[in-house]
Amino acid sequence: MTIRFNDETFRDDYTFHNSPEAIRRFPFPFDQDSYMYSVNLEPHAGGRAGTPFQNRFDVDEHYVAEMKDREITLAQDPLRCQSLPHMELAGWDFLELVMVSKAEDYPELFELHRDGDRWHWINRPLGIEQRFTFLDPTTLPCGPLEYITRQTQGDHALLDQRDDNLWMDAGMITSQADWSLDFDIGMNFYEWHAPVPKAHEMGVFQRALKFLLNLRQEAPVRRLNWTMTVNPRLDTSPENYHKWGPEKRTITPETVGAKQHLRVELQTLWRLPRSNAIAFPIRCYLCSLEDIVTQPKWGRRLHRVLRDLPDELAEYKGFAVNRPTIVDYLAKFDDGAPTSPGIFPD
Amino acid sequence: MSALTLRVTEITPLSPLVTRFRFEHPEGAGLPLFSGGAHVVVEMPDAGVLRRNAYSLISDPLDGSGYEIAVRREDGGRGGSRFLHTKVSVGDLLRVNLPVNLFALDLRAKKQLMIAGGIGITPFLAQLKQLARLQMPFELHYAARSRAEAAGIALLPDLPQIHVHISDEGNRMDLGAILSGQPLGTHVYTCGPEGLIAAVDETAARLGWPKGALHSEAFLAPPPGAPFTVTLKSGREIEVGAHQSLLEALEAAEVAVDWSCRGGACGRCETGVSACHGRIEHHDHWLSDEEKASQTKIMPCVSRFVGETLTLDL
């Protein structure tokens, strides 16, 4: 498999774009014509060939550009990557998981050679070659979590497990849907989910936490989450709200198709072996409405979901102000025909 | 449930009652690493009954060449330890489930203080190896009735931080002295009989230890009791024998129930109760006091029932 990496930006002139293949493989998150929260976890054990579910860590045409964007964000705000002192072992666990997975799943892009604790890592797309000693942080240019997540698409949180709870004690968060690692660091599962409407009363978090505390090694799980973003911007952080918040006001009936993006997070959860921590990669995929509607099933379904969504969810997901314009645009692509089950295009 | 089929490669008696078993992959493949305090569930096909017992791993968590457990022979138990001691030989293949940790070290601690009673030494043997790798300060106290019973002595490194207390030799463990001299930020871990755990909790409370710094693991085996009957949604009745757990009876009847620790700690086998005329004997550490009192949930791995009818949501 060869991947042509896009030359594109996720800020300023926003030259981000999806190829026709990238649109077809977009992880459309709705398996029916309506949406409500659920603990929609399933085993992360492969999936249909070519989809983002096939490999443990999906690498796509946006890889190189996303890593450049992360570098810019980190240079402006180093606190986007933090690891409390007791999380270093979990960082090594995660580095191993990513390197082993990528070298096995994309042998033409990544290589890992191990001789005991002496490791040799080659990342061809980013032009990196590194020899280091596993579990010895002095042999890497930065901590293990920062090192590997500068080379891995998606945000990544490492959750410590203790006192029957999970604690957000380390992470690399530069492409988030309006939450802040610097604010959430050290919080437990209930604390960092406190702003989410409705789900608490539904008992969603209690059930999800019970499930995650029992997450087993070598049995990762995944779920999809979604929101809406104006312009293909990865860094929609509270720290930079002044930069992207006003862009919501640029949506008009003429611009909505190109500027309004459906933002989907492929979230996976992994029990790490040495630290007993949980790794929580949150991989972001963006697709403009005009690209979504090239798949007629998705156009019909997205119209119905957004039209019927409860107001507080539209408010929480931050697109209430543009919902009428979005729904009017999508209505043109909904002829009322029934849609097939499942998330994949027809 | 992900399980590996592993070969028994070494059987080493450590004391008259305790034997160490080593498992390796039949083709020599590396086994998944783990964290100190983790346990595995070993499956034992014993004369038509499939027994599944949880044992703490005692080998080095960062050594994937094999898993080791130390098993105390309990002749009054339900037969799992007797099976391992009398029916398993080097070369046999057994199914071993992947490690799960319900007794992990809190790596924020400034110092790790470990207190073991009897066979409760097992999780600490792996944690000691992990702490050596992490170069963290620790202290371990190991109490046993007699030297002959103290199977762990042979497996403990000779270090000044390790203290052995043999009560037959007049060297009883003094919890007050151990818990009063510790630096701030110390976490204490206790594994052993319920009485030891209660004594540590009580002494620590008296000395003003924060609750969040206390950790314990009781090695809880399903307690025997009088036979009883449960009813499923379909109306089908399942008999539970005196030396059988409800979970084992359900498995024998091929009723699917999810499980992990089989010791009342992890919550995985939590089962709803739709009707209860009688009293559930809750033996688990999972359900809250209110949940236990409501008699609407049961942990079938360890809990039993006395009374007329118990109908499960299964």
Side-chain angles (χ1 to χ4, degrees):
Chain A
M1 172 185 29
T2 49
I3 302 174
R4 282 174 58 103
F5 297 107
N6 295 350
D7 183 8
E8 59 190 1
T9 58
F10 296 87
R11 59 183 77 214
D12 306 324
D13 56 352
Y14 294 118
T15 60
F16 164 89
H17 55 281
N18 281 308
S19 68
E21 302 77 57
I23 296 170
R24 291 276 306 172
R25 76 193 296 278
F26 180 73
F28 187 75
F30 306 109
D31 63 354
Q32 51 187 0
D33 290 355
S34 64
Y35 172 77
M36 189 24 87
Y37 292 122
S38 60
V39 185
N40 51 337
L41 292 161
E42 62 173 14
H44 183 43
R48 196 181 282 198
T51 67
F53 313 106
Q54 181 184 7
N55 291 318
R56 288 166 280 186
F57 293 88
D58 184 41
V59 176
D60 67 8
E61 65 186 26
H62 308 297
Y63 177 47
V64 174
E66 283 188 29
M67 294 301 97
K68 278 189 191 142
D69 191 71
R70 165 158 293 161
E71 209 176 305
I72 299 169
T73 302
L74 281 171
Q76 293 169 355
D77 183 1
L79 292 178
R80 299 301 186 84
C81 182
Q82 299 189 43
S83 176
L84 298 182
H86 62 282
M87 298 303 284
E88 189 178 286
L89 187 61
W92 286 111
D93 271 333
F94 189 58
L95 174 142
E96 176 191 53
L97 174 66
V98 173
M99 287 188 177
V100 169
S101 302
K102 282 191 168 177
E104 287 175 4
D105 294 346
Y106 301 92
E108 66 290 346
L109 301 181
F110 306 96
E111 281 179 42
L112 177 66
H113 305 280
R114 292 184 282 183
D115 173 15
D117 283 347
R118 282 187 310 218
W119 291 27
H120 179 200
W121 166 247
I122 299 169
N123 177 336
R124 293 194 203 290
L126 296 182
I128 292 171
E129 181 164 1
Q130 180 83 37
R131 291 173 197 274
F132 63 99
T133 306
F134 189 72
L135 295 180
D136 180 355
T138 64
T139 60
L140 284 179
C142 53
L145 173 66
E146 180 177 345
Y147 182 77
I148 197 58
T149 56
R150 278 178 180 270
Q151 303 178 43
T152 308
Q153 284 167 280
D155 283 348
H156 305 277
L158 298 182
L159 316 178
D160 194 22
Q161 179 160 337
R162 50 177 203 271
D163 306 333
D164 292 327
N165 211 324
L166 296 171
W167 304 80
M168 174 91 57
D169 284 349
M172 166 70 90
I173 310 294
T174 65
S175 52
Q176 66 271 54
D178 204 8
W179 67 281
S180 161
L181 175 69
D182 193 39
F183 185 74
D184 283 1
I185 193 143
M187 285 189 187
N188 70 34
F189 191 80
Y190 293 117
E191 291 167 344
W192 84 67
H193 281 119
V196 184
K198 277 181 176 283
H200 291 273
E201 300 90 90
M202 293 165 63
V204 167
F205 294 122
Q206 223 175 346
R207 287 201 299 278
L209 178 61
K210 270 192 184 186
F211 180 88
L212 293 176
L213 291 174
N214 271 307
L215 186 68
R216 295 189 180 110
Q217 272 198 68
E218 315 220 334
V221 295
R222 68 182 170 221
R223 68 185 286 264
L224 293 175
N225 197 12
W226 67 279
T227 189
M228 304 289 286
T229 301
V230 175
N231 291 324
R233 186 177 180 95
L234 289 174
D235 175 26
T236 50
S237 59
E239 286 89 342
N240 281 331
Y241 188 80
H242 59 288
K243 293 180 186 163
W244 58 270
E247 292 181 359
K248 288 189 207 176
R249 302 285 173 180
T250 65
I251 291 291
T252 66
E254 292 69 43
T255 61
V256 64
K259 278 180 168 260
Q260 183 66 58
H261 288 68
L262 176 59
R263 182 187 192 105
V264 175
E265 292 174 351
L266 170 55
Q267 307 180 341
T268 55
L269 290 136
W270 310 73
R271 172 72 64 195
L272 298 174
R274 300 168 185 80
S275 58
N276 201 42
I278 289 179
F280 181 31
I282 307 158
R283 172 66 188 280
C284 171
Y285 295 85
L286 293 161
C287 193
S288 66
L289 296 188
E290 64 187 16
D291 283 347
I292 294 269
V293 300
T294 61
Q295 311 301 315
K297 170 181 168 181
W298 291 354
R300 291 183 186 112
R301 180 168 289 171
L302 186 61
H303 170 246
R304 295 167 200 177
V305 168
L306 296 184
R307 180 191 64 199
D308 302 337
L309 195 74
D311 287 341
E312 53 267 68
L313 262 71
E315 195 65 51
Y316 170 66
K317 290 179 183 288
F319 66 97
V321 58
N322 290 321
R323 176 145 76 153
T325 314
I326 294 167
V327 171
D328 283 351
Y329 172 83
L330 290 171
K332 292 182 282 183
F333 302 92
D334 185 0
D335 56 7
T339 53
S340 61
I343 63 173
F344 295 109
D346 290 326
Chain B
M1 188 78 208
S2 38
L4 303 159
T5 299
L6 301 182
R7 190 179 300 286
V8 177
T9 56
E10 282 174 40
I11 299 178
T12 317
L14 301 174
S15 78
L17 285 178
V18 180
T19 297
R20 177 176 61 186
F21 296 84
R22 181 176 171 84
F23 299 91
E24 292 178 18
H25 194 277
E27 276 91 52
L31 304 181
L33 303 182
F34 58 97
S35 49
H39 67 265
V40 290
V41 170
V42 180
E43 303 189 358
M44 296 168 275
D46 183 13
V49 181
L50 183 62
R51 302 187 193 284
R52 294 185 170 107
N53 282 14
Y55 297 102
S56 296
L57 289 166
I58 65 169
S59 47
D60 184 349
L62 299 193
D63 177 2
S65 68
Y67 289 156
E68 293 176 5
I69 59 173
V71 181
R72 182 186 153 96
R73 179 174 168 158
E74 307 282 357
D75 286 326
R78 296 161 314 118
S81 66
R82 205 164 50 234
F83 175 86
L84 281 172
H85 274 255
T86 59
K87 302 206 176 143
V88 171
S89 315
V90 168
D92 287 356
L93 292 173
L94 286 177
R95 276 168 61 82
V96 176
N97 291 272
L98 288 183
V100 170
N101 200 340
L102 301 172
F103 191 50
L105 293 168
D106 188 328
L107 297 179
R108 296 172 308 161
K110 298 280 180 283
K111 177 181 173 183
Q112 313 284 11
L113 173 62
M114 297 170 274
I115 300 176
I119 194 67
I121 188 68
T122 51
F124 298 128
L125 294 169
Q127 288 180 342
L128 284 174
K129 297 179 177 100
Q130 184 184 356
L131 289 169
R133 281 293 284 246
L134 298 174
Q135 298 184 305
M136 290 184 89
F138 71 91
E139 182 178 322
L140 179 137
H141 294 267
Y142 174 34
R145 208 166 299 140
S146 69
R147 204 159 279 273
E149 277 190 25
I153 290 180
L155 303 175
L156 285 169
D158 185 15
L159 291 170
Q161 302 98 310
I162 293 178
H163 308 270
V164 179
H165 307 268
I166 306 289
S167 46
D168 274 5
E169 298 173 5
N171 178 19
R172 284 181 65 88
M173 184 158 64
D174 180 352
L175 290 176
I178 293 168
L179 290 169
S180 60
Q182 299 298 336
L184 276 179
T186 301
H187 279 242
V188 60
Y189 307 82
T190 313
C191 184
E194 297 270 5
L196 176 67
I197 293 167
V200 171
D201 283 352
E202 200 178 300
T203 310
R206 183 164 51 76
L207 293 169
W209 279 68
K211 255 196 148 117
L214 308 179
H215 313 269
S216 61
E217 178 167 73
F219 33 94
L220 192 59
F228 61 99
T229 305
V230 297
T231 310
L232 306 185
K233 269 196 290 204
S234 62
R236 185 175 166 202
E237 296 195 338
I238 311 275
E239 308 284 334
V240 184
H243 288 275
Q244 194 181 29
S245 70
L246 171 55
L247 177 59
E248 288 167 337
L250 291 167
E251 287 172 336
E254 294 184 351
V255 179
V257 184
D258 197 12
W259 54 268
S260 175
C261 77
R262 304 181 79 89
C266 77
R268 194 92 175 188
C269 69
E270 183 181 298
T271 300
V273 169
S274 52
C276 173
H277 303 288
R279 186 170 52 82
I280 299 174
E281 295 177 334
H282 294 287
H283 295 294
D284 61 278
H285 298 293
W286 173 256
L287 297 175
S288 66
D289 290 346
E290 298 81 60
E291 285 173 318
K292 286 178 181 173
S294 74
Q295 304 217 102
T296 55
K297 288 176 181 175
I298 187 169
M299 308 307 294
C301 61
V302 290
S303 297
R304 306 184 70 85
F305 172 72
V306 184
E308 294 279 303
T309 51
L310 181 73
T311 309
L312 303 178
D313 290 339
L314 287 174

